[in-house]
């Protein structure tokens, strides 16, 4: 009990290595699902951008959410980048951008006219580096 409030702990067992993702209905859980996938090898079907968070091997060697061989260690930054594709979508390369004390960054913006759909940096490997750039 914490300040008169009860705490509940739940435990479950799943028969497969996959669960339906909650992220499309509740975007706030996307990072939690990715972390669970990385740590325990559970794949969240329907996750809009399913990629590792910290590039750590699963604690369960026989299960990997990305179907990597158990002998392969995840390499930081080696993943699919989010892409927007379609007619009249174009990609604009920008850089190098010098943002303070870190190394210069190169970015790719995916656009439709004036609207920027997404941007990515092939050189930024962590959230801290991305945040430091802007």
């Amino acid at each position: 009990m914490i300040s008169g409030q009860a705490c509940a702990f739940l435990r479950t067992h799943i028969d497969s290595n996959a669960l339906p993702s909650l992220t499309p209905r509740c975007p706030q859980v996307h990072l939690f699902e990715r972390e669970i996938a990385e740590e325990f090898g559970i794949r969240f079907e329907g996750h809009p951008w399913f990629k590792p968070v910290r590039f750590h091997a699963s604690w369960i060697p026989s299960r990997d959410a990305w179907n990597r061989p158990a002998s392969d260690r995840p390499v930081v930054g080696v993943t699919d980048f989010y892409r927007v594709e379609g007619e009249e979508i174009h990609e604009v390369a920008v850089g190098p951008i010098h943002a303070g004390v870190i190394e210069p960054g190169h970015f790719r913006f995916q656009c439709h006219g004036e609207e920027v759909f997404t941007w990515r940096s092939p050189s930024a490997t962590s959230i801290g580096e991305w945040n430091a750039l802007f």
Side-chain angles (χ1 to χ4, degrees):
M1 285 246 201
I2 301 172
S3 301
Q5 296 179 354
C7 294
F9 294 94
L10 303 175
R11 181 179 222 170
T12 189
H13 175 77
I14 59 172
D15 294 325
S16 69
N17 293 346
L19 293 172
S21 175
L22 295 174
T23 299
R25 283 182 245 127
C26 182
Q28 295 84 349
V29 301
H30 92 94
L31 199 55
F32 295 103
E33 288 183 343
R34 288 170 46 197
E35 182 70 28
I36 291 168
E38 192 167 18
E39 294 291 325
F40 302 104
I42 298 170
R43 182 163 185 79
F44 287 89
E45 301 292 337
H47 193 287
W49 193 13
F50 195 64
K51 68 174 196 159
V53 177
R54 296 178 296 112
F55 294 88
H56 186 280
S58 174
W59 290 107
I60 304 168
S62 61
R63 285 183 19 185
D64 184 82
W66 293 272
N67 297 321
R68 297 175 292 211
S71 60
D72 290 357
R73 298 286 301 162
V75 179
V76 174
V78 176
T79 185
D80 293 330
F81 284 100
Y82 182 77
R83 274 188 88 83
V84 177
E85 295 180 345
E87 207 170 300
E88 298 184 17
I89 302 290
H90 59 277
E91 190 170 84
V92 179
V94 178
I97 296 173
H98 299 272
V101 296
I102 63 172
E103 65 186 47
H106 292 80
F107 301 90
R108 297 195 179 278
F109 294 85
Q110 294 171 353
C111 312
H112 181 262
E114 296 291 320
E115 186 176 354
V116 175
F117 289 119
T118 184
W119 65 274
R120 66 180 171 99
S121 167
S123 60
T125 57
S126 71
I127 296 297
E129 287 183 51
W130 288 64
N131 290 339
L133 292 170
F134 292 96

